[in-house]
Amino acid sequence: MEKSLFKRLDEFPRISTKDYGKLRDLGDLLMELQGAREEGYLTGLTYLDTARGIGPIVEKLPQGLQEKWLSVGSRFKEDNNGYFPPFDYFADFICQEARRRNDPSFILLCASSNGLKLDLGWVLIGDVCLGNAHKPAVSTFKTSVLENGRPSILKPCEGFVKLTEDMSHGREQKNKPHKASLEALGLQVFNETESDNKPAPSIEDTIFLEIMDQDMYIDTSNNWVAPLPFRVPRQRLSNNREQVFTRFTSPEKTLRRKTEMRDQFLEFMKKMFDNRHAEVAPLLEENEECWYLPTFGVYHPQKPGSIRVVFDSSAKYFGTSLNGVLLSGPDLNNSLIGVLIRFRKEQVAVIADIQQMFHCFLVRRDHRNYLRFLWYRDNDMSKDVIDYRMRVHVFGNSPSPSVAIYGLRKAIHEVLAVEVAELIQDELDLKLDAIKFFCDSKVVLGYIHNQTKRFYVYVHNRNQTWKYDPRLKHADLSTQEKNPIILPKNSHVSLLLVRQYHEEVKHQGRHFTEGALRAAGFWVLHQLYYDPDMERKKMAQKWLTQAQALPQAWQFCWALLAPDKLAEIQFFGASTLHAKISRHWGDLPDEQHQTLRVQLLAHISHFSSGPKMVLTRLCVALSSLALHTMPHAWPQAVADMVAVFRPEKAAATAASSEEATSHSHCLALLELLTVLPEEFQSSRLPQARRAQLREALAGQWAVVCPLLRQLLQGQESPSQVKEKVLRCLSSWVGLDVPLGESQELVQDCFAALADPELFETAVETLVTAISQPDCQRYTDALVNLMPLVLGLHDQLKAAAQQGDMETSHGICRIAVALGETHSRTLLDQVDHWQGFLALVNMILFCTGIPGHYPVNETTSSLTLTFWYTLQDDILSYEEEKQAVYLQVYRPVYFQLVDVLLHKAHYPAQEEYAAWAADDKEEFRVYRVDISDTLMYVYEMLGAELLSNLYDRLGRLLMDTEQPAEWSDTEALLFGFQSIAETIDVNYSDVIPGLIALIPRINISNVMLADTVMYTIGSLAEWLADHPVMLGTVLPMVLQGLVKAELSVSTVSTLKRICRECCHDLAPYAHDIMAVSQDVLVKEIHKSSQCMWLMQALGFLLCSLPEEQILGSLHSLISPHAQRLDTLGQLEPNPSDKVSILRILGMLSSLFTTLDIHRQDEYSDRGAQARAPPARVTPNPVVVALQQVLPLIQTVASKWLRDSEVVEAVCGVFEKSARTLLLDFAPVVPQLSAMLGQLYRTFPQASALDLTRQMVCIFAGEKDHFPPINSLIELVTSTTLTIFQQGPRDHPDIAESFMQLHAQALKRKPDSYLSDHIDVKALFYCGILSLKFPETPTVKAASFFFTVLVPHCGDSPTIGQVLHRDGKLLVHTILEAVGGGSPCCLMEHFSEVLFCLNRHCPPLLTQWLKEGLQSPHFPSAQVSTEQKDTFSQQLLREQTSKRRVKEIVKEFSLLCRGLQ
């Protein structure tokens, strides 16, 4: 987790001057880091409290903010005796600046970015989704499949949600009633059928069954193969190997400790590998999608001697899990009751089971990379960990049960049952009177009882396949020879392959060439799409991709499009054609352009009736051709396309072949017109050329718009055509076509909303069209759209009343799109203010739509950002105009408050208890969004809102006749909590009354009690300015502190009070300490809450007189020190480890906030802090540390090989040192000795981090640095031994080692002048660390070199090493840039090159020349000219680090073939 947080921080982009949205994102990330630091587990985050830790973050800020932080941070140091600002102070600074710069009142003055992320979500000002896809930042020609099944090189929109009620999914409904039956509907509606009490399959279940019907098959080895049933659309899975590798270390330690469990685990894995259920995973292609599954072992209670390895498919990475993107499938089992009842029907029952049922079904090869996992090479725990992947469906995947049971239909286990019965009769030698078979699969039972398909025919047909065992299976041949790839006989691809292998066999004749071809696995092209061997498929794909780049591809692509070819071959031909046009257009002579266009149009006409994938690819190819030739060579491209396909002859039903052809031509034209703007958006074009093409395409809109309107209005146009029209309109809207010219067409889309088949597509089209910011130029068109949107209000009300979530959701999206995108424009239309007010009330109805979110409705959350936008626009007007708008809209906002508080109500406890965990989490997030909305509403309604809430709460609590419902009280308190932190501390009209009412609340209900505590916590800042009210609320907080169910809310509230009000807590300190000590000793709360509580007590102790701190501190930590002493005497065991980590974590948390220098800040608030007087007595914290240090040393010696315990031990001293700074000096000698002993015995990265912390603090202290210097020498010699043995298994140690020496070089460079530290060895360690794949390690090594290189002039030793071995350093960096390391690391390598160029340019010139002159280095993709250009550009730039990063990044892309 710690590495993940640092990685997110490192990868956060630099913020430009006007990008205030990213500034808010950075503030959110820093608050997340601060929360993780406060929990106390991630001790490495304490590094952020140093100048070195904050420095890289400051570098990401705009220049103005960097200068402001310099001023603010310097002022803090002056006010705090030279102490550097802690991380929480810096995080507050960033969040405060983000709030100011994202203040809606000033955004119009300073923001110019295309999108702005606010507390309520994103406000889109520029580009939005184009046909549910996004333009990629770097075009890699990667094809994605959109939700309509059409391939596109645009990236699908991950946030797109598609809701549908179409159960047919493109198929004709078989049971669709005829007209005659419709007339008798009233007579038949009450007829009873067998299916009346059976649940209908869900849409997802229907999709699952379709996937299984189409894609489950028997491979050549007679194994059943089933795909992973992915949702469509779905979120792309990120590579989570790093997370899984981290989780892998935990069970690894358990297995090494428990020998019996280890043996059983290894035996299970051995069986899995022996049965070929898993295989060594192949290397991943760059950016190839994959997923790693964490593994763990479970025992069945009745089988304690047998372990089952489970794959955790529910593990989430960045909010996504494998199960989250898979369809679970229907429940195909009969109920258990039915199974048990059938056992009573006969005298004797035989039960049969299928061993490892899930493993009987292979996973399709192209899906196996989603089932990757980590395990030891050759199942040997002494070897390294490598990647494996499952070949079969696994225990842990949500769809595995449905896949396996569904597979029984095709495996006909009834046949197996017959054979079992025969076997029993033979073994018992009995003649049975009757045998009956019962099956728990609904699918197979359906086949048994189906009178139209006799079961014996089904069994016979399947049995032939089941018993088929070809002799080829047992032949002593390679897999490639058994399953060759077939190539078309007369294909140019075949000719090239024959030539290649004819040369490889040295021209020995036809038979040798043919044998080489077959041995390589080439035979048929369509096997490229069906071959289960992924390695051969990848090899073929790579070769065919290279074939596409050949000049001959212009010819053989047409042969592959021949009518007699398979659809997959035709698709490859069309893809080749598109690749040639888009990437190799310059190879085609100008005189052939016209011929190519004619051929393409002819083939599109031929394929207009299918296959769909070939047609789409040909349309994309023609679109690419049009973009190359418009506007000069083909000025009327769109008009010519329309003329060719003549859509006016399309009819609803094709009565003749001519009409059917015309209908298919119409669909083909619409597909072509839809693809054309998408291809333009995705093409990599120079800016001038893009502007020229945009203007040319916009000029063609005059041809497209009437055509689309004609087809959409046509009574005879079928729904399929109308749907394509709507999608085509969405595509063209992305080109910013004038709304004024397409106003009538957009209005026609409202009529399509009445058609259930078109509703969803029409909604998407309208939202896309209305949301275009360019529409603001066409005020009249927007005003004309308002009545159409308002006309949907009645349909919206009816849908809400009927519980039709899809309809209400779609209409709400349209209303919000109009109101949110154009609120300022519509507000300015004073003559139409009533219409806009009606639209606002319509959106208010959507906000308050009946039902609990997200169980009963999902619409209300769409509206929340609108209320912020409207408020922002109103408050941005000048005062006089603002007053007029406030008079109109303030009543609406008061209604909004009532609606939001109603929506925030918890449901009844019984109902809420029945909710799923995901629904509860969504409701929690929804309430947070409501809270943010109320906070913004307060800016408009002000004190009147507080008075309103207070009056309602007072009436509710003071009514003695009718006791208040807890949920009503909770909702009102939730409203107060939402706005409490924004209340001016000088405001004192309502808050005292509120605090007086709080003790009257009965907190027996847990959810109400939580809200009470959070409300008190949100008032902590106000209480700091009104300390007289503390006595009212503190007893209530302490009362809740002893209840485990209120752990989080009470501890966090007490922490906020102690932090904000600690200088006024002296009268209550004794009570707080007494209750807290009792709670800690009894271990009422979890570890994380105990650490928060210790932090609160640290704030509290800071406010006490110094002479009282030591006594209070001693009484607080004594019970835990005694417990730690007892545990230190025992032999290590897992239960004791938990207690040790808990105690060490609490001590770390206490010392994090226990800073006695804080007293000066509190004693003289608002003025410059006075320097503390010369200390006569030792620091109480140091005294306490010296008392517990021997105990901690004993524990560390016992748990020396446990990295968690050692890390926790180092965390105690690291946090203490960060708080005490120079006062920590008395502990340094003893601590240095302990660290040296620990590290020499068993090296740990945490010991290096603590050493680096002490270097940062004491580098300038001559009296205290010698022990630290000795420690550096000791850990250096130990770590060098690790590097000599191979550091690959210790990336954390390599990272910390590089960081330590970088800091030591920076702060104490004279230490490297002696012979005690081998600089040459350090240099080689740095080079080895640069080759690591882990980003933090490479970053640390790069930082080490950027600190080392500048000393080459003032240190002879460093200069000699750099002269002798600098060439190796440059060679390593070039190798990494050329493709040896991920692209994300290029920034760090460029910093080293920049540093070398600044301090020793002649040497770098020589090293680059020698390194780049080698052929094919650093990559075969770059030419000599490109390498020379890179070298010249790099050597020329000695001032701009940003430019060097750009040069290195561009060269790296060239080396990888991506530029």
Side-chain angles (χ1 to χ4, degrees):
M1 186 183 297
E2 183 177 291
K3 289 185 178 180
S4 175
L5 289 172
F6 273 119
K7 180 178 180 182
R8 290 173 56 193
L9 194 59
D10 293 338
E11 294 178 354
F12 196 93
R14 183 179 176 86
I15 303 172
S16 62
T17 306
K18 299 292 185 180
D19 199 353
Y20 300 135
K22 278 198 177 69
L23 186 63
R24 179 179 289 272
D25 293 344
L26 178 61
D28 294 342
L29 176 57
L30 296 184
M31 293 307 295
E32 184 177 348
L33 283 162
Q34 176 63 10
R37 288 175 67 255
E38 290 177 354
E39 287 187 0
Y41 284 110
L42 307 179
T43 56
L45 296 182
T46 56
Y47 172 61
L48 295 172
D49 280 312
T50 65
R52 188 60 208 167
I54 292 179
I57 310 176
V58 175
E59 291 178 358
K60 298 177 184 293
L61 300 176
Q63 187 64 34
L65 266 185
Q66 291 185 21
E67 295 175 358
K68 188 168 184 178
W69 167 246
L70 178 63
S71 173
V72 172
S74 300
R75 191 181 309 117
F76 181 95
K77 291 186 68 175
E78 293 171 4
D79 295 343
N80 293 271
N81 306 306
Y83 298 141
F84 189 84
F87 178 77
D88 55 354
Y89 186 89
F90 175 73
D92 291 341
F93 166 81
I94 294 297
C95 293
Q96 184 179 14
E97 292 297 326
R99 282 194 297 270
R100 290 175 179 173
R101 283 164 167 75
N102 287 281
D103 190 304
S105 303
F106 304 102
I107 286 177
L108 294 177
L109 301 176
C110 57
S112 60
S113 57
N114 288 333
L116 186 64
K117 188 176 184 182
L118 305 174
D119 289 342
L120 299 180
W122 280 95
V123 177
L124 298 179
I125 304 173
D127 293 338
V128 294
C129 301
L130 172 65
N132 312 323
H134 292 299
K135 177 184 175 183
V138 177
S139 178
T140 59
F141 298 99
K142 179 176 180 181
T143 301
S144 302
V145 180
L146 301 181
E147 38 83 25
N148 59 2
R150 178 162 50 80
S152 173
I153 61 174
L154 299 176
K155 178 183 178 183
C157 175
E158 296 175 350
F160 173 66
V161 179
K162 179 178 180 181
L163 303 176
T164 180
E165 285 292 345
D166 181 12
M167 300 298 294
S168 63
H169 295 282
R171 302 177 304 171
E172 294 185 2
Q173 298 183 10
K174 297 179 181 179
N175 299 324
K176 188 173 182 179
H178 301 288
K179 292 184 178 179
S181 62
L182 290 175
E183 296 174 356
L185 180 62
L187 303 176
Q188 301 176 2
V189 71
F190 295 108
N191 290 351
E192 295 184 357
T193 67
E194 295 181 356
S195 302
D196 285 348
N197 296 322
K198 297 179 181 179
S202 66
I203 294 177
E204 289 190 349
D205 291 347
T206 305
I207 296 174
F208 175 90
L209 294 174
E210 288 181 352
I211 293 174
M212 292 298 114
D213 283 339
Q214 296 172 5
D215 296 338
M216 182 176 276
Y217 64 94
I218 298 179
D219 66 4
T220 56
S221 301
N222 267 2
N223 293 315
W224 285 101
V225 181
L228 293 177
F230 284 105
R231 300 177 185 273
V232 179
R234 65 175 177 86
Q235 182 175 350
R236 178 179 171 85
L237 296 173
S238 304
N239 189 331
N240 63 332
R241 190 183 191 280
E242 182 178 352
Q243 179 202 48
V244 173
F245 184 80
T246 303
R247 282 189 57 174
F248 181 80
T249 57
S250 179
E252 176 189 27
K253 297 172 185 176
T254 304
L255 293 177
R256 293 188 185 280
R257 189 174 63 254
K258 298 181 178 181
T259 56
E260 183 179 359
M261 182 180 182
R262 179 185 63 208
D263 294 340
Q264 295 170 357
F265 209 108
L266 290 172
E267 181 62 25
F268 185 95
M269 299 300 289
K270 181 178 183 299
K271 290 180 180 179
M272 192 166 67
F273 293 134
D274 290 345
N275 295 330
R276 299 189 70 246
H277 293 162
E279 63 186 5
V280 176
L283 294 177
L284 292 169
E285 298 290 338
E286 187 169 356
N287 295 326
E288 182 178 357
E289 188 178 16
C290 67
W291 188 258
Y292 287 81
L293 297 173
T295 56
F296 59 92
V298 296
Y299 285 99
H300 193 283
Q302 299 179 359
K303 302 176 182 179
S306 175
I307 196 171
R308 177 193 292 269
V309 177
V310 178
F311 294 85
D312 188 2
S313 303
S314 298
K316 291 189 175 182
Y317 183 64
F318 290 117
T320 307
S321 67
L322 180 61
N323 279 342
V325 298
L326 293 177
L327 297 168
S328 298
D331 180 10
L332 300 178
N333 281 326
N334 279 335
S335 66
L336 185 60
I337 296 177
V339 175
L340 295 175
I341 290 176
R342 289 195 292 272
F343 264 78
R344 300 174 57 85
K345 296 186 67 174
E346 308 297 338
Q347 293 182 347
V348 179
V350 178
I351 304 175
D353 191 14
I354 300 177
Q355 184 178 8
Q356 294 184 338
M357 181 176 175
F358 297 168
H359 291 178
C360 296
F361 298 91
L362 297 181
V363 178
R364 210 169 68 191
R365 276 195 173 272
D366 57 328
H367 286 178
R368 291 180 187 173
N369 275 340
Y370 300 105
L371 303 178
R372 297 172 80 99
F373 65 97
L374 302 177
W375 191 244
Y376 302 98
R377 187 186 299 275
D378 300 330
N379 201 29
D380 187 348
M381 292 187 65
S382 64
K383 296 185 178 180
D384 58 329
V385 177
I386 63 172
D387 290 5
Y388 290 89
R389 65 179 186 180
M390 292 299 295
R391 301 179 69 248
V392 297
H393 287 264
V394 299
F395 186 84
N397 271 17
S398 58
S400 291
S402 297
V403 170
I405 298 172
Y406 180 90
L408 293 179
R409 177 185 63 173
K410 297 189 175 183
I412 54 166
H413 61 273
E414 269 62 27
V415 176
L416 301 180
V418 173
E419 292 195 352
V420 170
E422 294 175 352
L423 176 64
I424 293 175
Q425 291 184 81
D426 293 341
E427 293 294 328
L428 299 179
D429 196 18
L430 293 174
K431 183 177 182 181
L432 304 180
D433 296 332
I435 303 173
K436 296 185 178 181
F437 301 99
F438 298 98
C439 170
D440 63 355
S441 170
K442 296 178 183 177
V443 178
V444 179
L445 287 174
Y447 273 90
I448 295 174
H449 295 295
N450 193 333
Q451 297 299 319
T452 61
K453 295 181 180 179
R454 300 302 298 270
F455 183 65
Y456 66 86
V457 177
Y458 170 79
V459 172
H460 173 74
N461 292 341
R462 278 21 177 218
N463 200 24
Q464 285 183 336
T465 305
W466 179 59
K467 289 189 174 182
Y468 177 64
D469 188 16
R471 288 176 293 172
L472 184 62
K473 173 182 175 182
H474 304 288
D476 187 16
L477 298 173
S478 67
T479 307
Q480 291 183 344
E481 292 175 282
K482 293 179 186 177
N483 304 283
I485 299 176
I486 303 173
L487 292 167
K489 180 178 180 181
N490 298 319
S491 167
H492 184 72
V493 177
S494 307
L495 178 61
L496 293 175
L497 276 171
V498 170
R499 288 178 179 173
Q500 174 185 340
Y501 284 96
H502 183 61
E503 292 177 359
E504 287 192 5
V505 299
K506 309 301 181 185
H507 310 279
Q508 296 185 61
R510 179 176 63 84
H511 297 292
F512 288 95
T513 305
E514 183 179 337
L517 272 168
R518 295 199 178 198
F522 290 103
W523 209 350
V524 202
L525 182 62
H526 76 263
Q527 285 293 326
L528 173 67
Y529 299 95
Y530 298 113
D531 193 345
D533 191 327
M534 185 57 66
E535 292 302 321
R536 291 210 315 274
K537 180 176 289 190
K538 286 183 178 180
M539 179 178 63
Q541 181 64 42
K542 180 178 179 180
W543 187 90
L544 291 173
T545 302
Q546 294 173 351
Q548 286 180 334
L550 297 174
Q552 295 87 346
W554 289 106
Q555 286 76 42
F556 73 70
C557 62
W558 301 110
L560 298 178
L561 284 167
D564 58 336
K565 295 294 188 292
L566 292 173
E568 288 79 6
I569 296 177
Q570 293 170 339
F571 176 78
F572 178 75
S575 299
T576 301
L577 190 56
H578 174 239
K580 297 301 293 182
I581 294 175
S582 59
R583 304 178 196 176
H584 306 280
W585 179 253
D587 298 342
L588 193 68
D590 294 345
E591 59 272 13
Q592 296 184 19
H593 292 175
Q594 177 68 22
T595 305
L596 177 61
R597 183 205 310 173
V598 172
Q599 285 181 292
L600 264 173
L601 287 170
H603 277 77
I604 291 175
S605 176
H606 172 76
F607 284 99
S608 60
S609 55
K612 177 72 164 50
M613 62 178 182
V614 181
L615 172 64
T616 300
R617 210 67 193 150
L618 289 172
C619 290
V620 173
L622 182 59
S623 299
S624 182
L625 184 148
L627 295 178
H628 279 294
T629 55
M630 290 176 65
H632 304 299
W634 197 8
Q636 301 297 324
V638 176
D640 292 346
M641 296 174 192
V642 173
V644 168
F645 293 103
R646 296 173 299 171
E648 63 274 4
K649 291 187 178 181
T653 55
S656 65
S657 60
E658 181 181 350
E659 291 177 332
T661 302
S662 179
H663 173 70
S664 61
H665 281 188
C666 178
L667 291 175
L669 175 61
L670 290 172
E671 180 73 15
L672 183 56
L673 294 178
T674 303
V675 165
L676 181 59
E678 295 178 354
E679 183 69 10
F680 165 74
Q681 298 285 11
S682 64
S683 298
R684 296 181 298 171
L685 299 168
Q687 187 173 0
R689 176 60 178 163
R690 178 172 292 277
Q692 182 188 37
L693 276 176
R694 182 183 293 274
E695 182 181 357
L697 288 172
Q700 298 289 301
W701 177 241
V703 178
V704 177
C705 185
L707 170 66
L708 298 183
R709 195 173 184 209
Q710 171 194 347
L711 294 174
L712 192 59
Q713 289 180 335
Q715 297 295 326
E716 297 181 350
S717 296
S719 297
Q720 188 180 9
V721 170
K722 292 184 177 181
E723 182 178 5
K724 291 295 297 182
V725 168
L726 294 170
R727 296 190 184 280
C728 184
L729 174 57
S730 293
S731 181
W732 279 83
V733 163
L735 296 176
D736 298 331
V737 295
L739 180 62
E741 298 179 13
S742 52
Q743 176 182 346
E744 294 81 4
L745 179 57
V746 174
Q747 292 175 355
D748 292 339
C749 294
F750 282 89
L753 293 171
D755 188 342
E757 296 183 16
L758 300 177
F759 179 82
E760 178 190 349
T761 310
V763 168
E764 291 296 332
T765 302
L766 286 170
V767 170
T768 303
I770 294 173
S771 300
Q772 293 297 319
D774 189 60
C775 296
Q776 295 178 359
R777 295 188 296 153
Y778 307 98
T779 306
D780 294 339
L782 291 174
V783 171
N784 293 335
L785 286 178
M786 262 203 302
L788 297 174
V789 176
L790 294 174
L792 302 173
H793 201 171
D794 292 338
Q795 185 180 355
L796 172 65
K797 291 180 179 178
Q801 186 176 4
Q802 298 168 7
D804 186 352
M805 295 173 61
E806 287 75 14
T807 301
S808 59
H809 196 89
I811 295 176
C812 177
R813 289 185 61 198
I814 296 172
V816 171
L818 180 61
E820 186 176 329
T821 309
H822 309 292
S823 61
R824 181 62 180 250
T825 304
L826 295 175
L827 279 171
D828 288 336
Q829 307 309 306
V830 181
D831 295 338
H832 302 279
W833 70 272
Q834 292 177 320
F836 185 58
L837 180 60
L839 178 64
V840 171
N841 282 309
M842 181 178 177
I843 297 175
L844 180 63
F845 175 82
C846 294
T847 306
I849 201 163
H852 284 292
Y853 182 94
V855 176
N856 309 119
E857 62 90 10
T858 57
T859 301
S860 58
S861 62
L862 300 174
T863 66
L864 298 181
T865 53
F866 163 77
W867 299 110
Y868 157 73
T869 304
L870 177 61
Q871 170 195 312
D872 172 40
D873 290 333
I874 292 174
L875 296 181
S876 65
Y877 284 108
E878 60 274 11
E879 186 174 350
E880 182 179 351
K881 199 171 184 179
Q882 183 184 125
V884 176
Y885 284 119
L886 287 177
Q887 186 178 359
V888 176
Y889 291 102
R890 273 174 65 89
V892 178
Y893 271 84
F894 273 111
Q895 295 179 51
L896 174 65
V897 172
D898 295 337
V899 168
L900 292 177
L901 292 180
H902 176 72
K903 296 296 292 184
H905 264 67
Y906 277 100
Q909 286 185 301
E910 298 80 8
E911 180 184 353
Y912 186 71
W915 282 14
D918 289 343
D919 291 336
K920 291 180 179 179
E921 175 62 16
E922 285 191 50
F923 182 62
R924 184 194 68 80
V925 174
Y926 177 64
R927 278 170 56 97
V928 172
D929 293 339
I930 290 178
S931 176
D932 292 341
T933 307
L934 288 170
M935 180 180 65
Y936 285 108
V937 170
Y938 174 69
E939 294 184 16
M940 175 177 280
L941 302 182
E944 192 175 348
L945 174 58
L946 283 175
S947 301
N948 180 286
L949 293 176
Y950 174 68
D951 291 342
R952 293 169 62 179
L953 182 63
R955 289 194 300 269
L956 203 62
L957 295 178
M958 304 301 289
D959 189 351
T960 57
E961 297 181 0
Q962 186 176 0
E965 289 286 339
W966 72 268
S967 57
D968 296 333
T969 307
E970 193 277 336
L972 287 171
L973 276 176
F974 174 75
F976 271 112
Q977 174 199 334
S978 302
I979 61 180
E981 294 186 14
T982 60
I983 297 174
D984 189 349
V985 294
N986 297 319
Y987 178 79
S988 57
D989 291 342
V990 170
I991 304 303
L994 170 64
I995 293 177
L997 285 176
I998 285 178
R1000 301 178 63 90
I1001 299 174
N1002 182 358
I1003 60 172
S1004 57
N1005 181 277
V1006 174
M1007 288 179 281
L1008 174 58
D1010 273 334
T1011 305
V1012 169
M1013 294 302 160
Y1014 286 129
T1015 304
I1016 295 173
S1018 64
L1019 293 169
E1021 191 173 345
W1022 187 90
L1023 289 170
D1025 279 62
H1026 304 79
V1028 69
M1029 306 298 295
L1030 281 170
T1032 306
V1033 295
L1034 267 177
M1036 203 170 189
V1037 176
L1038 295 180
Q1039 177 187 351
L1041 191 62
V1042 300
K1043 299 180 179 180
E1045 61 271 17
L1046 301 180
S1047 176
V1048 176
S1049 58
T1050 52
V1051 173
S1052 62
T1053 297
L1054 182 61
K1055 179 183 173 183
R1056 295 186 69 173
I1057 291 176
C1058 289
R1059 182 178 60 199
E1060 301 294 340
C1061 313
C1062 61
H1063 54 289
D1064 297 306
L1065 290 178
Y1068 315 100
H1070 179 269
D1071 293 338
I1072 296 174
M1073 290 290 294
V1075 175
S1076 300
Q1077 285 177 318
D1078 184 60
V1079 165
L1080 291 171
V1081 171
K1082 293 180 179 178
E1083 298 186 358
I1084 292 177
H1085 302 306
K1086 295 180 179 179
S1087 294
S1088 57
Q1089 279 75 57
C1090 288
M1091 294 177 190
W1092 291 359
L1093 184 55
M1094 278 296 211
Q1095 290 178 357
L1097 297 178
F1099 287 121
L1100 180 64
L1101 289 173
C1102 290
S1103 64
L1104 297 179
E1106 189 169 331
E1107 60 272 11
Q1108 297 181 18
I1109 293 179
L1110 185 58
S1112 300
L1113 183 59
H1114 185 269
S1115 62
L1116 175 62
I1117 67 175
S1118 288
H1120 309 294
Q1122 294 172 4
R1123 174 65 174 156
L1124 190 64
D1125 186 21
T1126 303
L1127 293 171
Q1129 307 304 322
L1130 303 175
E1131 291 300 319
N1133 66 78
S1135 60
D1136 291 344
K1137 176 182 174 180
V1138 175
S1139 300
I1140 290 173
L1141 292 177
R1142 179 190 181 97
I1143 295 171
L1144 294 175
M1146 288 193 298
L1147 292 176
S1148 298
S1149 301
L1150 176 65
F1151 295 141
T1152 299
T1153 57
L1154 182 49
D1155 183 4
I1156 63 174
H1157 297 303
R1158 202 185 303 264
Q1159 294 174 358
D1160 297 325
E1161 178 186 347
Y1162 298 137
S1163 61
D1164 192 11
R1165 300 185 105 206
Q1168 183 175 355
R1170 298 187 298 270
R1175 183 168 300 284
V1176 179
T1177 58
N1179 190 310
V1181 182
V1182 174
V1183 175
L1185 269 177
Q1186 290 176 325
Q1187 291 175 353
V1188 300
L1189 194 148
L1191 305 179
I1192 295 177
Q1193 187 171 5
T1194 303
V1195 170
S1197 62
K1198 284 289 183 67
W1199 293 83
L1200 191 60
R1201 296 183 177 275
D1202 192 298
S1203 59
E1204 290 183 73
V1205 174
V1206 174
E1207 188 173 345
V1209 167
C1210 294
V1212 174
F1213 297 103
E1214 190 172 1
K1215 292 185 177 181
S1216 304
R1218 190 184 65 227
T1219 305
L1220 295 170
L1221 297 177
L1222 296 179
D1223 286 348
F1224 190 74
V1227 187
V1228 168
Q1230 191 175 357
L1231 178 60
S1232 298
M1234 184 188 81
L1235 282 178
Q1237 181 181 359
L1238 291 176
Y1239 194 82
R1240 183 168 48 218
T1241 307
F1242 194 78
Q1244 300 271 10
S1246 53
L1248 294 172
D1249 293 335
L1250 179 52
T1251 306
R1252 175 168 50 87
Q1253 182 77 28
M1254 291 193 294
V1255 169
C1256 295
I1257 297 173
F1258 296 102
E1261 302 294 321
K1262 295 182 179 180
D1263 296 336
H1264 304 300
F1265 195 74
I1268 301 174
N1269 194 49
S1270 301
L1271 176 61
I1272 293 175
E1273 294 174 1
L1274 188 150
V1275 299
T1276 299
S1277 62
T1278 304
T1279 310
L1280 290 178
T1281 304
I1282 296 176
F1283 270 88
Q1284 291 171 359
Q1285 297 172 353
R1288 185 61 195 90
D1289 295 333
H1290 308 282
D1292 53 341
I1293 291 180
E1295 174 193 349
S1296 298
F1297 184 64
M1298 290 291 101
Q1299 289 178 342
L1300 168 62
H1301 279 285
Q1303 285 294 339
L1305 260 172
K1306 189 174 184 179
R1307 297 177 181 271
K1308 201 73 172 175
D1310 55 336
S1311 301
Y1312 292 80
L1313 298 177
S1314 66
D1315 297 333
H1316 298 291
I1317 296 180
D1318 190 345
V1319 177
K1320 180 180 178 181
L1322 288 179
F1323 195 89
Y1324 280 103
C1325 291
I1327 291 176
L1328 289 176
S1329 300
L1330 286 176
K1331 298 180 180 181
F1332 276 61
E1334 289 82 5
T1335 299
T1337 307
V1338 175
K1339 181 180 178 181
S1342 301
F1343 177 52
F1344 167 75
F1345 282 116
T1346 58
V1347 176
L1348 177 77
V1349 170
H1351 291 287
C1352 63
D1354 51 29
S1355 173
T1357 305
I1358 295 176
Q1360 292 172 6
V1361 171
L1362 186 62
H1363 277 73
R1364 183 174 57 250
D1365 300 316
K1367 179 181 177 180
L1368 178 60
L1369 171 62
V1370 173
H1371 184 278
T1372 302
I1373 293 176
L1374 290 176
E1375 190 176 29
V1377 170
S1381 295
C1383 291
C1384 60
L1385 300 177
M1386 296 305 108
E1387 179 179 352
H1388 308 301
F1389 295 128
S1390 63
E1391 291 180 352
V1392 181
L1393 292 174
F1394 178 74
C1395 188
L1396 287 168
N1397 197 28
R1398 289 195 64 180
H1399 296 280
C1400 44
L1403 292 175
L1404 180 61
T1405 304
Q1406 177 185 346
W1407 295 332
L1408 284 175
K1409 181 179 180 181
E1410 293 175 358
L1412 294 176
Q1413 70 181 4
S1414 302
H1416 306 303
F1417 180 84
S1419 168
Q1421 302 280 350
V1422 289
S1423 63
T1424 304
E1425 292 77 10
Q1426 290 171 327
K1427 290 191 284 188
D1428 291 341
T1429 302
F1430 164 70
S1431 179
Q1432 293 170 7
Q1433 291 177 339
L1434 183 64
L1435 294 171
R1436 191 183 306 124
E1437 193 58 67
Q1438 294 186 349
T1439 56
S1440 175
K1441 185 185 295 185
R1442 178 189 59 81
R1443 177 58 185 148
V1444 171
K1445 291 179 180 179
E1446 293 175 355
I1447 293 169
V1448 173
K1449 182 179 180 181
E1450 291 172 2
F1451 185 67
S1452 179
L1453 293 176
L1454 281 173
C1455 292
R1456 300 164 199 262
L1458 300 176
Q1459 189 78 334

